[in-house]
Amino acid sequence: MKRKIQDCLAYRLFLLLPLFSFGGCVEIKAPVDYVNPYMGNISHLLVPTYPTVHLPNSMLRIYPQREDYTSNKLKGLPVIVTSHRGNSAFSINPFNSFCDSLEKGSRSSFILYNYDNEKIKPYYYSVFLSDYDIEVKYVPSHQSALYQLDFRAGQPGLLIGATNGELHVEKNKVFGYQQIGSYETRVYLYLETDVVPLQTEEGNTVVMKFPENDKRINLRYGISFISVDQAKKNMEREVAGKDLETLTRTGRTIWNDALGKIQVKGNCEDSKTIFYTSLYRTYERMVCLSEDGQYYSAFDNQVHQDSGVPFYTDDWIWDTYRATHPLRILLEPEREKYMIQSFIRMAGQMKHFWMPTFPEITGDSRRMNSNHGVATVLDAYVKGITDFDLKEAYRACRNAITEKTLAPWSDMEAGKLDSFYVSNGYFPVLASGEEEVVSEVHSFEKRQAVAVTLGTVYDEWCLAQIARLLDNKEDYNYFLQRSLNYHQLFNAETKFFHPKDSEGNFITPFDYRYSGGMGGRDYYGENNGWVYRWDVPHNVADLIKLMGGKEAFVDELEKMFDTPLGKSKYEFFSRFPDHTGNVGQFSMANEPCLHIPYLYNYANKPWMTQKKIRALLEEWFRNDLMGMPGDEDGGGMSAFIVFSQLGFYPVTPGLPIYVIGSPVFERAKIQLSDDKTFEVYCHNYSPKHKYIQSVKLDGVEWDKSWFSHEELMKGNKLEVTMGAYPNKEWASQDQSVPPSFEMRK
């Protein structure tokens, strides 16, 4: 079957692959060999995953230019993806004498190719362009790459295109730029072939024709966001004089070093593939833009010196604050520090000193709702990453929440809706029949009033915690009190968070499954009222009280999983296309749901979390082309998989704890800083044994359904005895539940 990743021969693995061991048990495969970039390449409804080829968190990323796996043709060969899920800038198009239709002045910047025999690894890409009998092999470095093109017949040629830019050719060198959309950001290209062409042409594209007897053309290029000269330096530094095999070995080693920071052992090979594929995807973003000590910033359209601190961007914080940033704190603390320092730099480079929300290559697009950069700052700091200016970070976060409008998808200053929020503690919705007249409200994204309120009270809780760290008692008390304002929208009769108009009236009639227009955006955001019912991660204990106690809380959780769509699938998904991966009204496909299955722990029912987590992993995350239930968002959902397969999850970023789920592997070892490791070891292991019977932490009996970040960083061992049936007594006492709001003293 074309594009299927093949296992290597054991002999070749023995010769080429690094080995790792657990107490003498040797695994033949290296971590990178488990990665399947095709997992999820066919979407359920929205955007599929992309089989991205890159080095960890590097500026240069590519993937085949097509809509998804089922696309019949490739749209040229990619050069650089300029943002996560974005299009490729430039296009490289090999051709031969069979192609005579490249008329000057009528050329497109790309050729459509029939293709076959595609292979993708994180560090390598190859494909056969069957129309022209051309073998393509590709390997990236951080800011440069090599294409090896083998022409089986005809006279070799290249067409290199740039949309919205210009290219020039001098002998075997091509250089120029492409403007990214309507933004000021430009990406620059410098490219060299190892064979001097017989003929070159300039126009809206560059054409190079080579001697007929030169059947192999090596093409090396560098990319820059600064200049053509810098692109040339990047190419010369990274790939000049190096062949495909050397660069492949280097890339493979870099990926094994990254993925090998977590080593897992178990007898389910698919689980390992899902795990390492998910871990690989958490390294797609953010990307480092520093080039020889300087970087281009789209936040002020200037080139800056980085002063030894690399600059990172391309992060959709609404998607990544929940799990991707917390995972990076464990595996890449130095990189996470640089990313937070980059956030502060961005704030200083923009018109207003506001923490970004969706920082991309082209600047902050201010998408989604809330300002969860504050959670990344707090979570890093309370988990030991303190080498950044906390006062400046706090100022940027505070300004974003108090000076910028809370209206989704807007970069405008605070207006009358925000004044109302400050005075009344909730974001108001339009009354029945009322037309929108507030300019900062996006015409499609609407007010998302409940989602904005719930997201912002969590952000205000984070502000309070940082204010306490800074000994700012006034702000601490103010924002801590404000973080309880979810009470303003809680409907005591229905036990849901219910939208209110500016007069304080709950909207009626109301259906928590369907109300709110497209994506529920009048009131919620991409998901319905059932999902946002649980969106109080900073104070789960209080949410339980509002629901009527622990038994009622568990009953309502179960109702969510039990309540059917109530409409045909085509009707439901035409209204809620993000709300896929359904189990009843629960949606595994979107980030606001990720913490929900862990909430049973807070109600003395950890065995129910264990059951739900395993079921969700098995139902929705698989080693196949439809193995992701919705938008993966470049690490947002993948980090949930990594944590959940390890057996714990950070329900509340900013509170340094992990809530225990159900470990999937017999043994997992996490490499921490200072040469320490944290290990999860399962006794009585079987892939079917999902229920925890007992736990020991560092050799001591542990009857809590959580543990602290401090315990993890000590390098302890979590020993878990598993079984086929639940032990309903384990961690079932009130003192066993995870803390909420603040750490217990």
Side-chain angles (χ1 to χ4, degrees):
M1 178 180 179
K2 79 173 182 179
R3 303 184 221 159
K4 183 177 180 181
I5 292 182
Q6 303 294 326
D7 291 335
C8 297
L9 295 174
Y11 177 71
R12 186 178 174 193
L13 286 165
F14 177 78
L15 292 177
L16 298 179
L17 305 185
L19 304 177
F20 57 92
S21 117
F22 291 85
C25 179
V26 177
E27 293 282 316
I28 295 177
K29 280 188 177 181
V32 74
D33 294 303
Y34 284 103
V35 175
N36 176 9
Y38 292 114
M39 187 177 116
N41 282 191
I42 300 176
S43 67
H44 289 243
L45 276 181
L46 296 178
V47 181
T49 63
Y50 291 92
T52 311
V53 180
H54 63 112
L55 299 184
N57 298 109
S58 289
M59 188 171 84
L60 182 60
R61 299 166 292 180
I62 70 144
Y63 43 70
Q65 297 183 86
R66 56 180 178 237
E67 293 302 315
D68 67 13
Y69 182 90
T70 63
S71 296
N72 189 47
K73 288 182 170 61
L74 290 180
K75 189 178 176 181
L77 298 177
V79 174
I80 178 176
V81 174
T82 54
S83 68
H84 169 65
R85 295 203 322 216
N87 294 320
S88 179
F90 308 108
S91 183
I92 294 172
N93 305 267
F95 65 91
N96 53 29
S97 54
F98 301 151
C99 178
D100 298 320
S101 61
L102 300 175
E103 301 289 341
K104 186 173 181 180
S106 63
R107 302 184 192 110
S108 171
S109 61
F110 60 86
I111 298 173
L112 291 174
Y113 292 101
N114 277 305
Y115 65 102
D116 204 348
N117 299 329
E118 185 181 77
K119 295 181 181 178
I120 301 183
K121 301 178 185 294
Y123 53 87
Y124 174 86
Y125 174 63
S126 66
V127 69
F128 178 61
L129 306 179
S130 48
D131 291 328
Y132 305 109
D133 290 338
I134 301 171
E135 289 275 2
V136 176
K137 294 180 181 178
Y138 174 89
V139 62
S141 188
H142 300 285
Q143 297 163 350
S144 311
L146 166 68
Y147 270 108
Q148 179 178 294
L149 308 173
D150 288 306
F151 296 79
R152 292 188 167 192
Q155 181 180 6
L158 290 174
L159 183 151
I160 303 169
T163 304
N164 192 24
E166 61 182 43
L167 289 173
H168 305 280
V169 59
E170 292 180 0
K171 296 184 179 179
N172 67 326
K173 301 173 179 61
V174 178
F175 52 89
Y177 74 88
Q178 179 167 320
Q179 199 96 9
I180 302 177
S182 60
Y183 301 97
E184 293 188 39
T185 306
R186 289 180 174 183
V187 57
Y188 296 90
L189 170 70
Y190 178 85
L191 178 153
E192 289 185 1
T193 60
D194 64 347
V195 177
V196 177
L198 293 173
Q199 180 183 348
T200 62
E201 299 174 15
E202 284 189 14
N204 60 330
T205 56
V206 164
V207 176
M208 309 172 80
K209 295 183 179 180
F210 300 92
E212 190 165 351
N213 59 343
D214 287 306
K215 297 301 184 185
R216 171 171 290 178
I217 308 294
N218 285 302
L219 183 160
R220 294 173 176 84
Y221 70 87
I223 289 296
S224 174
F225 289 98
I226 297 173
S227 66
V228 167
D229 286 343
Q230 185 61 52
K232 180 180 180 182
K233 290 177 183 177
N234 295 342
M235 187 275 290
E236 291 175 339
R237 173 174 16 91
E238 294 183 350
V239 301
K242 297 178 182 177
D243 60 19
L244 186 90
E245 289 73 22
T246 299
L247 291 169
T248 301
R249 285 195 299 269
T250 299
R252 177 185 176 79
T253 298
I254 290 171
W255 269 112
N256 269 325
D257 287 345
L259 300 178
K261 290 181 179 179
I262 306 180
Q263 299 177 4
V264 298
K265 178 180 182 292
N267 56 21
C268 178
E269 294 296 285
D270 273 350
S271 291
K272 295 176 189 175
T273 293
I274 294 164
F275 179 82
Y276 281 116
T277 302
S278 301
L279 184 56
Y280 136 83
R281 288 191 170 130
T282 68
Y283 280 95
E284 184 188 341
R285 300 184 297 154
M286 302 167 71
V287 297
C288 180
L289 291 195
S290 284
E291 307 176 52
D292 290 333
Q294 55 184 346
Y295 66 92
Y296 167 80
S297 172
F299 301 89
D300 63 359
N301 298 304
Q302 300 293 321
V303 175
H304 299 265
Q305 298 298 314
D306 70 12
S307 302
V309 178
F311 181 78
Y312 285 81
T313 190
D314 201 13
D315 188 17
W316 298 358
I317 302 176
W318 188 89
D319 301 289
T320 59
Y321 84 92
R322 294 170 169 87
T324 316
H325 282 278
L327 182 62
R328 195 180 294 117
I329 287 171
L330 297 181
L331 303 182
E332 305 285 352
E334 187 84 352
R335 199 167 289 171
E336 181 69 11
K337 176 189 72 175
Y338 292 146
M339 293 175 185
I340 292 174
Q341 290 172 329
S342 297
F343 289 157
I344 301 170
R345 284 173 166 173
M346 294 171 196
Q349 292 163 3
M350 290 188 282
K351 178 182 177 181
H352 302 284
F353 194 73
W354 297 342
M355 183 64 77
T357 55
F358 259 58
E360 301 187 81
I361 300 290
T362 52
D364 193 0
S365 56
R366 296 288 178 194
R367 286 186 266 180
M368 299 305 293
N369 60 64
S370 308
N371 293 273
H372 296 315
V374 63
T376 66
V377 170
L378 173 63
D379 199 47
Y381 201 88
V382 298
K383 291 177 180 175
I385 299 177
T386 59
D387 190 13
F388 60 89
D389 192 329
L390 186 62
K391 288 184 179 180
E392 284 294 275
Y394 178 69
R395 185 164 73 91
C397 293
R398 192 185 193 281
N399 289 350
I401 294 167
T402 61
E403 296 180 1
K404 182 180 68 65
T405 182
L406 298 174
W409 292 65
S410 177
D411 62 356
M412 298 175 69
E413 295 182 22
K416 69 177 187 178
L417 292 178
D418 305 282
S419 297
F420 184 95
Y421 174 80
V422 172
S423 299
N424 297 276
Y426 69 94
F427 214 61
V429 303
L430 295 171
S432 179
E434 184 181 2
E435 292 187 10
E436 185 63 78
V437 295
V438 179
S439 61
E440 57 264 31
V441 175
H442 192 282
S443 60
F444 178 77
E445 295 296 334
K446 309 297 184 182
R447 294 190 179 189
Q448 301 182 24
V450 176
V452 166
T453 301
L454 296 178
T456 303
V457 296
Y458 168 66
D459 291 342
E460 289 173 318
W461 176 82
C462 292
L463 281 179
Q465 304 309 311
I466 300 176
R468 180 178 57 83
L469 293 169
L470 294 172
D471 200 29
N472 185 337
K473 295 179 181 178
E474 182 179 355
D475 272 14
Y476 169 70
N477 291 325
Y478 174 73
F479 287 115
L480 195 68
Q481 186 62 38
R482 291 197 61 81
S483 75
L484 299 173
N485 275 330
Y486 51 86
H487 286 249
Q488 301 295 332
L489 293 183
F490 190 77
N491 187 328
E493 292 185 10
T494 64
K495 303 295 192 297
F496 279 81
F497 291 107
H498 196 125
K500 279 182 180 178
D501 63 24
S502 59
E503 298 298 319
N505 302 311
F506 286 126
I507 299 299
T508 57
F510 203 85
D511 191 316
Y512 295 109
R513 294 172 295 179
Y514 317 126
S515 294
M518 185 65 182
R521 287 177 172 86
D522 288 333
Y523 311 133
Y524 302 102
E526 297 187 346
N527 295 103
N528 65 17
W530 277 95
V531 169
Y532 281 93
R533 193 180 191 188
W534 318 98
D535 199 20
V536 190
H538 60 295
N539 206 351
V540 179
D542 190 43
L543 182 61
I544 290 173
K545 291 179 182 178
L546 290 174
M547 292 277 191
K550 292 179 178 178
E551 288 189 16
F553 184 78
V554 170
D555 287 345
E556 295 302 324
L557 278 169
E558 286 295 282
K559 284 181 185 176
M560 174 186 54
F561 289 104
D562 293 340
T563 300
L565 295 183
K567 290 180 181 288
S568 64
K569 287 185 177 181
Y570 74 85
E571 286 182 287
F572 185 88
F573 293 133
S574 68
R575 175 71 63 89
F576 289 100
D578 296 272
H579 201 303
T580 55
N582 291 80
V583 181
Q585 293 297 314
F586 174 84
S587 166
M588 191 69 259
N590 214 349
E591 283 76 12
C593 282
L594 300 184
H595 71 293
I596 293 175
Y598 287 93
L599 296 181
Y600 293 96
N601 285 28
Y602 293 78
N604 308 110
K605 301 285 187 181
W607 70 271
M608 297 184 78
T609 281
Q610 296 154 30
K611 179 178 183 294
K612 284 291 188 297
I613 284 294
R614 283 297 193 94
L616 292 168
L617 289 175
E618 291 172 7
E619 288 165 359
W620 294 113
F621 304 105
R622 304 180 310 278
N623 178 22
D624 62 43
L625 287 165
M626 296 188 73
M628 295 292 291
D631 285 1
E632 190 276 336
D633 289 321
M637 194 173 297
S638 290
F640 164 83
I641 302 170
V642 172
F643 271 121
S644 294
Q645 287 189 302
L646 289 173
F648 54 93
Y649 186 76
V651 167
T652 310
L655 202 63
I657 68 165
Y658 303 95
V659 178
I660 295 174
S662 176
V664 168
F665 301 108
E666 181 179 4
R667 194 168 177 183
K669 186 187 296 183
I670 305 171
Q671 183 65 51
L672 306 172
S673 56
D674 301 325
D675 294 325
K676 293 179 180 178
T677 60
F678 180 78
E679 192 172 338
V680 180
Y681 187 90
C682 290
H683 299 283
N684 194 33
Y685 164 78
S686 165
K688 298 299 183 183
H689 288 179
K690 69 184 72 169
Y691 292 109
I692 292 175
Q693 308 300 302
S694 63
V695 176
K696 288 183 179 180
L697 183 62
D698 198 26
V700 178
E701 293 290 339
W702 190 259
D703 196 43
K704 300 176 183 178
S705 60
W706 65 280
F707 56 89
S708 70
H709 180 75
E710 181 182 11
E711 292 289 345
L712 186 153
M713 294 304 293
K714 287 178 182 177
N716 285 331
K717 178 188 287 187
L718 190 73
E719 295 182 76
V720 184
T721 300
M722 305 298 290
Y725 303 98
N727 176 4
K728 298 180 181 180
E729 299 302 314
W730 178 77
S732 63
Q733 305 304 310
D734 286 345
Q735 63 267 26
S736 301
V737 303
S740 293
F741 210 51
E742 294 185 309
M743 294 294 289
R744 298 169 189 152
K745 297 180 180 179

